[in-house]
Amino acid sequence: MTDRQRDELRVVRRSMFTGRALWRGVVTSVIVMLITGPFHHWHMGPEFIPYAALTLVAGLAGWVIAAYLQRERFRFRLLKYGHLWTTIADRMTRFENAYRGSPKIVKDTLSDTPSSIRRVVDSIYMALRRADSVRGLIDESEKNISQMPMASVPAVDSQAQSLYDLAQKNQDEYRQHYQKLMAGVERTEAQTAVLISALDSLRLKMLDYRVTGGKVEMPSSDLVTHLEAYKTEFAALEKAVEEVESVFLQAGT
């Protein structure tokens, strides 16, 4: 199981323990009970067991399905990252549709690229989740905070000046750690922009060659060169995304 799949399970579990999901499970059970009860005359006895089991299973199914359908509400704290992920998922679907309908020369040149892009998408998904968590925690912790102003001129008292120096050192450390945390967030957002723009551009090039057959805008040799460049770009992006993880880990220490 990949990191993204494990995270998907965590999101669904989080969604399960919400009032809406639990309520839908109860409603589903009641509906099944009302449907089966009048026709099968519920009463305690051997005949009761299968209908009770059916009601229980239906309620559990309704609960899980409701949690799964509303999982997107619990994936990201901030709407910004939810929108970025929705955009990536949309572009990935469009790319795969264009790739499936592409000529053989495109598929041969990009034979391993869809798998590479999926790995990048999975990695960026996890990076977005971390960025969302970091940004959300910082926004919550730093809300309405004001920094204490330092002395504009050296204090007359030497002990007071030593304390001001210590306070300045603490502020510098705070600023450095804040910048480390935000570095991972900013790189993730920039990588998301690169991924979306690269998928858009590559998809249109594939569609262009599919329509023209390389006879108008782009001959086969030029197409291969362009596609190879995209393979290199996605490989570099995959490596860069892996480096962002180390940035988050270093900032967390």
Side-chain angles (χ1 to χ4, degrees):
M1 184 179 290
T2 65
D3 289 342
R4 179 181 166 188
Q5 289 171 333
R6 282 191 288 269
D7 188 75
E8 290 281 358
L9 288 177
R10 285 194 292 269
V11 172
V12 172
R13 283 199 298 268
R14 182 183 174 194
S15 176
M16 287 177 69
F17 295 99
T18 60
R20 180 177 295 184
L22 291 168
W23 176 246
R24 289 185 178 179
V26 171
V27 169
T28 303
S29 296
V30 170
I31 291 174
V32 172
M33 186 183 299
L34 291 175
I35 293 174
T36 58
F39 296 102
H40 300 288
H41 306 291
W42 284 67
H43 59 83
M44 297 303 294
E47 303 86 358
F48 172 79
I49 296 176
Y51 300 117
L54 176 62
T55 301
L56 179 61
V57 169
L60 289 173
W63 178 31
V64 173
I65 291 172
Y68 181 80
L69 292 177
Q70 68 173 2
R71 69 192 187 284
E72 295 298 334
R73 297 175 54 217
F74 301 92
R75 192 184 299 281
F76 295 100
R77 294 185 180 192
L78 304 178
L79 291 176
K80 174 182 180 179
Y81 294 105
H83 175 70
L84 286 175
W85 172 242
T86 301
T87 304
I88 290 174
D90 172 69
R91 295 304 199 278
M92 189 62 190
T93 299
R94 294 171 189 268
F95 165 78
E96 289 180 331
N97 290 338
Y99 178 81
R100 281 194 293 268
S102 295
K104 186 175 183 298
I105 183 175
V106 173
K107 291 183 177 179
D108 288 345
T109 306
L110 297 175
S111 57
D112 57 343
T113 301
S115 298
S116 175
I117 293 176
R118 291 187 197 100
R119 289 195 302 270
V120 172
V121 168
D122 286 350
S123 297
I124 285 187
Y125 168 81
M126 295 304 300
L128 282 173
R129 288 276 285 154
R130 287 189 292 270
D132 175 69
S133 178
V134 169
R135 177 78 80 172
L137 288 172
I138 288 178
D139 289 351
E140 181 179 339
S141 178
E142 300 286 302
K143 186 177 182 181
N144 298 327
I145 195 171
S146 59
Q147 295 294 336
M148 178 180 175
M150 295 294 102
S152 57
V153 295
V156 175
D157 182 72
S158 60
Q159 187 174 4
Q161 185 59 48
S162 297
L163 293 173
Y164 272 124
D165 292 341
L166 180 58
Q168 185 63 57
K169 179 184 176 183
N170 291 337
Q171 276 202 353
D172 292 341
E173 289 180 357
Y174 162 87
R175 197 175 299 111
Q176 290 172 6
H177 200 76
Y178 180 87
Q179 290 171 350
K180 280 185 179 180
L181 283 172
M182 295 309 297
V185 172
E186 291 175 352
R187 290 185 195 180
T188 296
E189 294 174 2
Q191 289 166 354
T192 300
V194 171
L195 175 61
I196 293 171
S197 60
L199 285 174
D200 280 342
S201 184
L202 178 56
R203 172 172 50 84
L204 286 183
K205 278 187 168 55
M206 290 191 298
L207 292 176
D208 176 58
Y209 193 84
R210 181 177 171 184
V211 172
T212 65
K215 297 177 182 178
V216 179
E217 294 292 337
M218 188 183 300
S220 298
S221 58
D222 290 345
L223 175 71
V224 171
T225 301
H226 278 77
L227 296 183
E228 290 290 348
Y230 278 106
K231 290 173 65 175
T232 303
E233 182 175 341
F234 283 120
L237 181 59
E238 186 173 7
K239 182 179 179 181
V241 172
E242 292 174 357
E243 292 174 353
V244 167
E245 183 173 1
S246 66
V247 172
F248 278 118
L249 291 175
Q250 290 174 6
T253 58

Coordinates of all heavy atoms in Angstrom, one line a residue, residues 145-228:
I145 N -1.0 37.4 16.1 CA 0.2 37.5 17.0 C 1.0 38.8 16.6 O 1.0 39.2 15.5 CB 1.1 36.3 16.8 CG1 2.2 36.2 18.0 CG2 1.8 36.3 15.5 CD1 3.0 34.9 18.0
S146 N 1.6 39.4 17.6 CA 2.4 40.6 17.4 C 3.8 40.4 18.0 O 3.9 39.9 19.1 CB 1.7 41.9 18.0 OG 1.6 41.7 19.3
Q147 N 4.8 40.7 17.3 CA 6.2 40.6 17.8 C 6.5 41.7 18.7 O 6.2 42.9 18.4 CB 7.2 40.5 16.6 CG 7.0 39.3 15.7 CD 7.3 38.0 16.4 OE1 8.0 38.0 17.4 NE2 6.8 37.0 15.9
M148 N 7.2 41.4 19.8 CA 7.7 42.5 20.7 C 8.8 43.3 20.0 O 9.8 42.7 19.5 CB 8.2 41.8 22.0 CG 8.7 42.9 23.0 SD 9.3 42.1 24.5 CE 10.0 43.5 25.3
P149 N 8.7 44.6 20.0 CA 9.7 45.4 19.4 C 11.0 45.4 20.2 O 11.0 45.4 21.4 CB 9.1 46.8 19.3 CG 8.1 46.8 20.5 CD 7.6 45.4 20.5
M150 N 12.1 45.3 19.5 CA 13.4 45.3 20.2 C 13.8 46.8 20.4 O 13.3 47.7 19.8 CB 14.5 44.7 19.3 CG 14.3 43.2 19.1 SD 14.4 42.2 20.6 CE 12.7 41.9 21.0
A151 N 14.8 47.0 21.3 CA 15.2 48.3 21.6 C 15.9 48.9 20.4 O 16.8 48.3 19.8 CB 16.2 48.3 22.8
S152 N 15.5 50.2 20.1 CA 16.1 50.8 18.9 C 17.5 51.3 19.1 O 18.3 51.5 18.2 CB 15.2 52.0 18.4 OG 15.0 52.9 19.5
V153 N 17.9 51.5 20.4 CA 19.2 52.0 20.7 C 19.7 51.1 21.9 O 18.9 50.5 22.6 CB 19.2 53.5 21.2 CG1 18.8 54.4 20.0 CG2 18.3 53.7 22.4
P154 N 21.0 50.9 22.0 CA 21.6 50.1 23.1 C 21.1 50.6 24.4 O 21.0 51.8 24.7 CB 23.1 50.2 22.9 CG 23.3 50.6 21.5 CD 22.1 51.5 21.1
A155 N 20.8 49.6 25.3 CA 20.3 50.0 26.7 C 21.5 50.5 27.5 O 22.6 50.1 27.3 CB 19.7 48.8 27.3
V156 N 21.2 51.4 28.4 CA 22.3 51.9 29.3 C 22.8 50.8 30.2 O 24.0 50.6 30.5 CB 21.8 53.1 30.1 CG1 22.8 53.6 31.1 CG2 21.4 54.2 29.1
D157 N 21.8 50.0 30.8 CA 22.2 49.0 31.7 C 22.7 47.8 30.9 O 22.1 47.3 30.0 CB 20.9 48.6 32.5 CG 21.3 47.5 33.5 OD1 21.9 47.8 34.5 OD2 20.8 46.4 33.3
S158 N 23.9 47.2 31.3 CA 24.5 46.1 30.6 C 23.7 44.8 30.7 O 23.6 44.1 29.7 CB 25.9 45.9 31.1 OG 25.9 45.6 32.5
Q159 N 23.0 44.6 31.9 CA 22.2 43.4 32.0 C 21.0 43.5 31.1 O 20.6 42.5 30.5 CB 21.8 43.2 33.5 CG 21.1 41.9 33.7 CD 20.9 41.6 35.2 OE1 21.2 42.5 36.0 NE2 20.3 40.5 35.5
A160 N 20.4 44.6 31.1 CA 19.2 44.8 30.2 C 19.6 44.6 28.7 O 18.9 44.0 28.0 CB 18.7 46.2 30.4
Q161 N 20.8 45.1 28.3 CA 21.2 44.9 27.0 C 21.5 43.4 26.7 O 21.2 42.9 25.6 CB 22.5 45.7 26.7 CG 23.0 45.6 25.3 CD 22.0 46.2 24.3 OE1 21.4 47.3 24.5 NE2 21.7 45.4 23.3
S162 N 22.0 42.7 27.7 CA 22.2 41.2 27.5 C 20.9 40.5 27.3 O 20.8 39.6 26.4 CB 22.9 40.6 28.7 OG 24.2 41.2 28.9
L163 N 19.9 41.0 28.0 CA 18.5 40.4 27.8 C 18.0 40.7 26.5 O 17.3 39.9 25.8 CB 17.6 40.8 29.0 CG 18.0 40.3 30.4 CD1 17.1 41.0 31.4 CD2 17.9 38.8 30.4
Y164 N 18.1 41.9 26.0 CA 17.7 42.3 24.7 C 18.4 41.5 23.6 O 17.8 41.1 22.6 CB 17.9 43.8 24.5 CG 16.8 44.7 24.9 CD1 17.0 45.7 25.8 CD2 15.5 44.5 24.4 CE1 16.0 46.5 26.2 CE2 14.5 45.3 24.9 CZ 14.7 46.3 25.8 OH 13.7 47.1 26.2
D165 N 19.7 41.3 23.8 CA 20.5 40.4 22.9 C 19.9 39.0 22.8 O 19.8 38.4 21.7 CB 21.9 40.4 23.2 CG 22.6 41.8 23.1 OD1 22.0 42.6 22.3 OD2 23.7 42.0 23.6
L166 N 19.6 38.5 24.0 CA 19.0 37.1 24.0 C 17.7 37.1 23.3 O 17.4 36.1 22.6 CB 18.9 36.7 25.5 CG 18.3 35.3 25.7 CD1 19.2 34.2 25.0 CD2 18.2 35.0 27.2
A167 N 16.9 38.1 23.6 CA 15.5 38.2 22.9 C 15.7 38.3 21.4 O 15.0 37.6 20.6 CB 14.8 39.4 23.4
Q168 N 16.7 39.0 20.9 CA 16.9 39.1 19.5 C 17.4 37.8 18.9 O 17.0 37.4 17.8 CB 18.0 40.2 19.3 CG 18.3 40.5 17.8 CD 17.1 41.0 17.1 OE1 16.5 42.1 17.5 NE2 16.6 40.4 16.0
K169 N 18.2 37.1 19.7 CA 18.7 35.8 19.2 C 17.5 34.8 19.1 O 17.4 34.0 18.1 CB 19.7 35.2 20.2 CG 20.2 33.8 19.9 CD 21.1 33.2 20.9 CE 21.5 31.8 20.6 NZ 22.4 31.2 21.7
N170 N 16.6 34.9 20.1 CA 15.4 34.0 20.0 C 14.5 34.4 18.8 O 14.0 33.5 18.1 CB 14.6 34.2 21.3 CG 15.3 33.5 22.5 OD1 16.1 32.7 22.3 ND2 14.9 34.0 23.7
Q171 N 14.4 35.7 18.5 CA 13.6 36.1 17.4 C 14.2 35.6 16.1 O 13.5 35.2 15.1 CB 13.4 37.6 17.4 CG 12.3 38.1 18.2 CD 11.8 39.5 17.8 OE1 12.4 40.2 17.0 NE2 10.7 40.0 18.4
D172 N 15.5 35.7 16.0 CA 16.2 35.2 14.8 C 16.0 33.7 14.6 O 15.8 33.3 13.5 CB 17.7 35.5 14.9 CG 18.0 37.0 14.9 OD1 17.1 37.8 14.4 OD2 19.1 37.4 15.3
E173 N 16.1 33.0 15.7 CA 15.8 31.5 15.6 C 14.4 31.2 15.1 O 14.2 30.4 14.3 CB 16.1 30.8 16.9 CG 17.6 30.8 17.2 CD 17.9 30.1 18.6 OE1 16.9 29.7 19.3 OE2 19.1 29.9 18.9
Y174 N 13.5 32.0 15.7 CA 12.1 31.9 15.3 C 11.9 32.1 13.8 O 11.2 31.4 13.1 CB 11.2 32.8 16.1 CG 9.9 33.1 15.6 CD1 8.8 32.3 15.9 CD2 9.7 34.2 14.7 CE1 7.5 32.6 15.3 CE2 8.4 34.5 14.2 CZ 7.4 33.7 14.5 OH 6.1 33.9 14.0
R175 N 12.5 33.2 13.3 CA 12.4 33.6 12.0 C 13.0 32.5 11.0 O 12.4 32.2 10.0 CB 13.1 35.0 11.7 CG 12.7 35.7 10.4 CD 13.3 37.0 10.4 NE 12.8 37.9 11.4 CZ 13.6 38.3 12.4 NH1 14.9 38.0 12.5 NH2 13.1 39.1 13.4
Q176 N 14.2 32.0 11.4 CA 14.8 31.0 10.6 C 14.0 29.7 10.5 O 13.8 29.1 9.5 CB 16.2 30.6 11.2 CG 17.2 31.7 11.0 CD 18.5 31.4 11.8 OE1 18.7 30.4 12.3 NE2 19.4 32.4 11.8
H177 N 13.4 29.3 11.6 CA 12.5 28.1 11.6 C 11.3 28.3 10.8 O 10.8 27.4 10.1 CB 12.2 27.7 13.1 CG 11.8 26.3 13.2 ND1 12.6 25.2 13.2 CD2 10.5 25.7 13.3 CE1 12.0 24.1 13.3 NE2 10.7 24.4 13.4
Y178 N 10.7 29.5 11.0 CA 9.5 29.8 10.2 C 9.8 29.8 8.7 O 9.0 29.2 7.9 CB 9.0 31.2 10.6 CG 7.8 31.7 9.8 CD1 6.5 31.4 10.3 CD2 7.9 32.5 8.6 CE1 5.4 31.8 9.6 CE2 6.8 32.9 8.0 CZ 5.6 32.6 8.4 OH 4.5 33.0 7.7
Q179 N 11.0 30.3 8.3 CA 11.4 30.3 6.9 C 11.6 28.8 6.4 O 11.2 28.5 5.2 CB 12.6 31.1 6.7 CG 12.4 32.6 6.8 CD 13.6 33.4 6.8 OE1 14.8 32.9 6.9 NE2 13.5 34.7 6.8
K180 N 12.1 28.0 7.2 CA 12.3 26.6 6.9 C 10.9 25.9 6.6 O 10.8 25.1 5.7 CB 13.1 25.8 8.0 CG 14.6 26.0 7.9 CD 15.2 25.1 9.0 CE 16.7 25.3 9.0 NZ 17.4 24.4 10.0
L181 N 10.0 26.1 7.5 CA 8.7 25.6 7.4 C 8.0 26.1 6.1 O 7.5 25.3 5.3 CB 7.8 25.9 8.6 CG 8.0 25.1 9.8 CD1 7.2 25.7 11.0 CD2 7.6 23.7 9.7
M182 N 8.1 27.4 5.8 CA 7.4 27.9 4.7 C 8.1 27.6 3.4 O 7.5 27.6 2.3 CB 7.3 29.4 4.8 CG 6.4 29.9 6.0 SD 4.8 29.1 6.0 CE 4.2 29.7 4.4
A183 N 9.4 27.2 3.4 CA 10.1 26.8 2.2 C 9.5 25.6 1.6 O 9.3 25.6 0.4 CB 11.6 26.6 2.6
G184 N 9.2 24.6 2.4 CA 8.6 23.4 1.9 C 7.2 23.7 1.3 O 6.8 23.2 0.3
V185 N 6.4 24.6 2.0 CA 5.1 25.0 1.5 C 5.2 25.7 0.2 O 4.5 25.3 -0.8 CB 4.4 25.9 2.5 CG1 3.1 26.4 2.0 CG2 4.1 25.1 3.8
E186 N 6.1 26.6 0.1 CA 6.2 27.4 -1.2 C 6.7 26.5 -2.3 O 6.3 26.7 -3.5 CB 7.2 28.6 -1.0 CG 6.6 29.6 0.0 CD 7.6 30.7 0.3 OE1 8.8 30.6 -0.1 OE2 7.2 31.7 0.9
R187 N 7.7 25.6 -2.1 CA 8.1 24.7 -3.1 C 7.0 23.8 -3.6 O 6.9 23.5 -4.8 CB 9.3 23.9 -2.6 CG 10.6 24.8 -2.4 CD 11.8 23.9 -2.0 NE 12.9 24.7 -1.5 CZ 14.0 24.1 -1.1 NH1 14.2 22.8 -1.1 NH2 15.0 24.9 -0.6
T188 N 6.2 23.3 -2.7 CA 5.1 22.5 -3.1 C 4.2 23.2 -4.0 O 3.7 22.6 -5.0 CB 4.4 21.9 -1.8 OG1 5.3 21.1 -1.1 CG2 3.2 21.1 -2.2
E189 N 3.8 24.4 -3.6 CA 2.9 25.2 -4.5 C 3.5 25.5 -5.8 O 2.8 25.4 -6.9 CB 2.6 26.5 -3.7 CG 1.8 26.3 -2.5 CD 1.6 27.6 -1.7 OE1 2.0 28.7 -2.2 OE2 1.0 27.6 -0.6
A190 N 4.8 25.7 -5.9 CA 5.5 26.0 -7.2 C 5.5 24.7 -8.0 O 5.3 24.7 -9.2 CB 6.9 26.5 -6.9
Q191 N 5.8 23.6 -7.4 CA 5.8 22.3 -8.1 C 4.4 21.9 -8.6 O 4.3 21.4 -9.7 CB 6.3 21.2 -7.2 CG 7.8 21.3 -6.9 CD 8.3 20.5 -5.8 OE1 7.5 19.8 -5.1 NE2 9.6 20.4 -5.5
T192 N 3.4 22.3 -7.9 CA 2.0 22.0 -8.3 C 1.8 22.8 -9.6 O 1.2 22.3 -10.6 CB 1.0 22.4 -7.3 OG1 1.3 21.7 -6.1 CG2 -0.4 22.2 -7.7
A193 N 2.2 24.1 -9.6 CA 2.0 24.9 -10.8 C 2.8 24.3 -12.0 O 2.3 24.3 -13.2 CB 2.5 26.3 -10.6
V194 N 4.0 23.8 -11.8 CA 4.8 23.2 -12.9 C 4.1 22.0 -13.4 O 3.9 21.8 -14.6 CB 6.2 22.8 -12.4 CG1 6.9 22.0 -13.4 CG2 7.0 24.1 -12.1
L195 N 3.6 21.1 -12.5 CA 2.9 19.9 -12.9 C 1.6 20.2 -13.8 O 1.4 19.6 -14.8 CB 2.5 19.1 -11.7 CG 1.7 17.8 -12.0 CD1 2.4 16.8 -12.8 CD2 1.3 17.1 -10.7
I196 N 0.8 21.1 -13.3 CA -0.4 21.4 -14.0 C -0.1 22.0 -15.4 O -0.7 21.6 -16.4 CB -1.3 22.4 -13.2 CG1 -1.8 21.8 -11.9 CG2 -2.4 23.0 -14.0 CD1 -2.4 22.7 -10.9
S197 N 0.9 22.9 -15.5 CA 1.2 23.6 -16.7 C 1.8 22.5 -17.7 O 1.5 22.6 -18.9 CB 2.1 24.7 -16.5 OG 3.3 24.3 -15.9
A198 N 2.7 21.6 -17.2 CA 3.3 20.6 -18.0 C 2.3 19.6 -18.6 O 2.3 19.3 -19.7 CB 4.4 19.9 -17.2
L199 N 1.3 19.2 -17.7 CA 0.2 18.3 -18.2 C -0.6 19.0 -19.3 O -1.0 18.4 -20.3 CB -0.6 17.9 -17.0 CG 0.0 16.9 -16.1 CD1 -0.9 16.6 -14.9 CD2 0.2 15.5 -16.8
D200 N -0.9 20.3 -19.1 CA -1.7 21.0 -20.1 C -1.0 21.1 -21.4 O -1.5 20.8 -22.5 CB -2.0 22.4 -19.6 CG -3.2 22.4 -18.6 OD1 -3.9 21.4 -18.5 OD2 -3.3 23.4 -17.9
S201 N 0.3 21.5 -21.3 CA 1.1 21.6 -22.6 C 1.3 20.3 -23.3 O 1.1 20.2 -24.5 CB 2.4 22.3 -22.2 OG 3.1 22.5 -23.4
L202 N 1.6 19.3 -22.5 CA 1.8 18.0 -23.2 C 0.5 17.4 -23.8 O 0.6 16.8 -24.9 CB 2.4 17.0 -22.1 CG 2.6 15.5 -22.6 CD1 3.6 15.5 -23.8 CD2 3.2 14.7 -21.4
R203 N -0.6 17.6 -23.1 CA -1.8 17.1 -23.6 C -2.2 17.8 -24.9 O -2.6 17.1 -25.9 CB -2.9 17.4 -22.5 CG -4.4 17.1 -23.0 CD -5.4 17.2 -21.9 NE -5.2 18.4 -21.1 CZ -5.8 19.6 -21.5 NH1 -6.5 19.6 -22.6 NH2 -5.6 20.6 -20.7
L204 N -2.0 19.1 -25.0 CA -2.3 19.8 -26.2 C -1.4 19.4 -27.4 O -1.8 19.3 -28.5 CB -2.2 21.3 -26.0 CG -3.4 21.9 -25.2 CD1 -3.2 23.4 -25.1 CD2 -4.7 21.5 -25.8
K205 N -0.1 19.1 -27.1 CA 0.8 18.6 -28.1 C 0.3 17.3 -28.6 O 0.4 17.0 -29.8 CB 2.2 18.6 -27.6 CG 2.9 19.9 -27.6 CD 4.4 19.8 -27.2 CE 5.1 21.1 -27.5 NZ 4.5 22.3 -26.9
M206 N -0.1 16.4 -27.7 CA -0.6 15.1 -28.2 C -1.8 15.2 -29.0 O -2.0 14.5 -30.0 CB -0.8 14.2 -26.9 CG 0.4 13.8 -26.2 SD 0.1 12.5 -25.0 CE -1.0 13.3 -23.8
L207 N -2.7 16.1 -28.6 CA -3.9 16.3 -29.4 C -3.6 16.9 -30.7 O -4.3 16.6 -31.8 CB -4.9 17.2 -28.6 CG -5.5 16.6 -27.3 CD1 -6.4 17.7 -26.6 CD2 -6.3 15.4 -27.6
D208 N -2.7 17.9 -30.8 CA -2.3 18.5 -32.0 C -1.7 17.4 -33.0 O -2.1 17.4 -34.2 CB -1.2 19.5 -31.8 CG -0.7 20.2 -33.1 OD1 -1.6 20.7 -33.8 OD2 0.5 20.1 -33.3
Y209 N -0.9 16.6 -32.5 CA -0.3 15.5 -33.4 C -1.4 14.5 -33.8 O -1.4 14.0 -34.9 CB 0.8 14.8 -32.7 CG 1.6 13.9 -33.7 CD1 2.6 14.5 -34.4 CD2 1.3 12.6 -33.8 CE1 3.3 13.7 -35.3 CE2 2.0 11.8 -34.7 CZ 3.0 12.4 -35.5 OH 3.7 11.6 -36.4
R210 N -2.3 14.3 -32.9 CA -3.4 13.3 -33.2 C -4.3 13.9 -34.3 O -4.8 13.1 -35.2 CB -4.2 13.1 -31.9 CG -5.4 12.1 -32.1 CD -6.1 12.0 -30.7 NE -7.3 11.2 -30.8 CZ -8.1 11.0 -29.8 NH1 -7.8 11.5 -28.6 NH2 -9.2 10.3 -29.9
V211 N -4.5 15.2 -34.3 CA -5.4 15.8 -35.3 C -4.6 16.0 -36.7 O -5.2 15.7 -37.7 CB -5.9 17.2 -34.8 CG1 -6.6 17.9 -36.0 CG2 -6.8 17.0 -33.6
T212 N -3.4 16.5 -36.6 CA -2.7 16.8 -37.8 C -1.9 15.7 -38.4 O -1.5 15.7 -39.6 CB -1.7 18.0 -37.6 OG1 -0.7 17.6 -36.7 CG2 -2.5 19.2 -37.1
G213 N -1.6 14.7 -37.5 CA -0.7 13.6 -38.0 C 0.7 14.0 -38.2 O 1.5 13.3 -38.9
G214 N 1.1 15.1 -37.7 CA 2.4 15.6 -37.8 C 2.7 16.2 -39.2 O 3.8 16.5 -39.5
K215 N 1.7 16.5 -40.0 CA 1.9 17.0 -41.3 C 1.9 18.5 -41.4 O 2.4 19.1 -42.4 CB 0.8 16.4 -42.2 CG 0.9 14.9 -42.4 CD -0.3 14.4 -43.2 CE -0.2 12.8 -43.3 NZ -1.3 12.3 -44.1
V216 N 1.3 19.1 -40.4 CA 1.2 20.6 -40.5 C 2.1 21.3 -39.5 O 3.0 22.0 -39.9 CB -0.3 21.0 -40.2 CG1 -0.4 22.5 -40.3 CG2 -1.2 20.3 -41.2
E217 N 1.9 21.1 -38.2 CA 2.6 21.8 -37.2 C 4.0 21.2 -36.8 O 4.9 21.8 -36.6 CB 1.8 22.0 -36.0 CG 0.5 22.9 -36.2 CD 0.9 24.3 -36.5 OE1 2.0 24.7 -36.1 OE2 0.1 25.0 -37.1
M218 N 4.0 19.8 -36.7 CA 5.1 19.2 -36.1 C 5.4 17.9 -36.8 O 4.6 16.9 -36.6 CB 4.8 19.0 -34.6 CG 6.0 18.5 -33.8 SD 5.5 18.2 -32.1 CE 5.0 19.8 -31.6
P219 N 6.5 17.7 -37.5 CA 6.9 16.4 -38.0 C 7.3 15.5 -36.9 O 7.5 15.9 -35.7 CB 8.1 16.8 -38.9 CG 8.6 18.0 -38.3 CD 7.5 18.8 -37.8
S220 N 7.4 14.2 -37.2 CA 7.6 13.1 -36.2 C 8.9 13.4 -35.4 O 8.9 13.2 -34.2 CB 7.6 11.8 -36.9 OG 6.4 11.5 -37.5
S221 N 10.0 13.7 -36.1 CA 11.2 13.9 -35.4 C 11.1 15.0 -34.4 O 11.7 14.9 -33.3 CB 12.3 14.3 -36.4 OG 12.0 15.4 -37.2
D222 N 10.5 16.1 -34.7 CA 10.3 17.2 -33.7 C 9.4 16.8 -32.6 O 9.6 17.2 -31.4 CB 9.7 18.4 -34.4 CG 10.6 19.1 -35.4 OD1 11.8 18.8 -35.3 OD2 10.2 19.9 -36.2
L223 N 8.4 16.0 -32.9 CA 7.5 15.5 -31.8 C 8.3 14.7 -30.8 O 8.1 14.9 -29.6 CB 6.4 14.7 -32.4 CG 5.4 14.0 -31.4 CD1 4.6 15.1 -30.8 CD2 4.6 13.0 -32.1
V224 N 9.1 13.8 -31.3 CA 9.8 12.9 -30.4 C 10.8 13.8 -29.5 O 10.9 13.5 -28.3 CB 10.7 11.9 -31.2 CG1 11.6 11.1 -30.3 CG2 9.7 10.9 -31.9
T225 N 11.4 14.8 -30.1 CA 12.3 15.7 -29.4 C 11.5 16.4 -28.3 O 12.0 16.5 -27.1 CB 12.9 16.7 -30.3 OG1 13.7 16.0 -31.3 CG2 13.9 17.6 -29.5
H226 N 10.3 16.9 -28.6 CA 9.5 17.6 -27.6 C 9.1 16.6 -26.5 O 9.1 17.0 -25.3 CB 8.3 18.2 -28.3 CG 8.6 19.5 -28.9 ND1 9.2 19.6 -30.2 CD2 8.3 20.8 -28.6 CE1 9.3 20.9 -30.5 NE2 8.8 21.6 -29.6
L227 N 8.7 15.4 -26.9 CA 8.2 14.5 -25.9 C 9.3 14.0 -24.9 O 9.1 13.8 -23.7 CB 7.5 13.3 -26.6 CG 6.3 13.6 -27.4 CD1 5.7 12.3 -27.9 CD2 5.2 14.3 -26.5
E228 N 10.5 13.9 -25.5 CA 11.6 13.5 -24.7 C 12.0 14.6 -23.7 O 12.3 14.3 -22.5 CB 12.9 13.2 -25.6 CG 12.8 12.0 -26.4 CD 12.9 10.7 -25.6 OE1 13.2 10.8 -24.4 OE2 12.6 9.6 -26.1

